[in-house]
Amino acid sequence: MQKRSAGLLLFRHTADGTEVLLGHMGGPYFAKKDAGAWTVPKGEYEPDESAWDAARREFREELGLEPPDGEALALGEVRQTNGKIVTVWAIEADLDPATVDPGTFTMEWPPRSGRVQEFPELDRVAWCGVRRAREVIVTAQAAFLDRLAEHSP
């Protein structure tokens, strides 16, 4: 069965232009990476859950905060190189990255060591201008930035 993820892309308008809130993926594989290591806060869901409900649940789990209210702009779907289908909505809102309390995951690290360690889902969260976001976001997710620009002044 094909994996599916859903998420919320927060955006805000500043004097310098539109900014989006991205998270840097946690864990040892992404620790020293920048390009391609930032993502819309999102997560997987099962067929019995709606993508919208999953996006809101994953926002809570990944950031430790309630998702903001506001008009949700459907940005559609993309297929990432790993085959996963990602569905995203954009919401105009402000959030202080210092208030984020990320969820965690466990994995064996180092590989084949028998040691299980806990890592944050997102090890940091930051507001990025659209140009910077395009440089660091997971490649397929850049389409969401284009679609957001179609809705923004």
Side-chain angles (χ1 to χ4, degrees):
M1 176 173 274
Q2 189 150 26
K3 290 186 178 184
R4 293 187 158 272
S5 282
L8 299 178
L9 177 64
L10 299 192
F11 69 98
R12 66 185 184 183
H13 299 289
T14 70
D16 295 326
T18 302
E19 294 181 335
V20 294
L21 186 76
L22 298 180
H24 184 270
M25 292 182 272
Y29 294 119
F30 298 100
K32 295 182 182 191
K33 293 182 180 168
D34 197 40
W38 291 78
T39 183
V40 172
K42 62 169 185 49
E44 291 184 9
Y45 65 99
E46 298 297 325
D48 62 342
E49 183 178 22
S50 77
W52 172 247
D53 289 342
R56 293 180 58 77
R57 174 182 52 76
E58 286 294 334
F59 189 92
R60 270 185 226 96
E61 290 178 10
E62 297 241 334
L63 302 181
L65 301 169
E66 284 301 312
D69 292 324
E71 180 185 353
L73 303 171
L75 299 182
E77 298 180 340
V78 298
R79 180 184 306 272
Q80 297 186 158
T81 55
N82 62 5
K84 184 183 291 182
I85 304 283
V86 180
T87 305
V88 167
W89 287 266
I91 297 177
E92 185 171 4
D94 205 354
L95 178 152
D96 179 355
T99 63
V100 170
D101 182 20
T104 60
F105 69 97
T106 57
M107 67 180 283
E108 181 181 13
W109 190 258
R112 296 176 292 288
S113 68
R115 249 178 82 202
V116 175
Q117 295 188 51
E118 188 173 65
F119 299 96
E121 293 274 353
L122 300 173
D123 59 22
R124 59 192 179 276
V125 174
W127 287 101
C128 303
V130 174
R131 173 186 253 163
R132 169 78 176 136
R134 192 173 301 289
E135 294 171 357
V136 298
I137 198 166
V138 172
T139 304
Q141 292 180 27
F144 296 131
L145 302 174
D146 298 334
R147 295 171 192 169
L148 177 61
E150 293 170 8
H151 292 282
S152 296

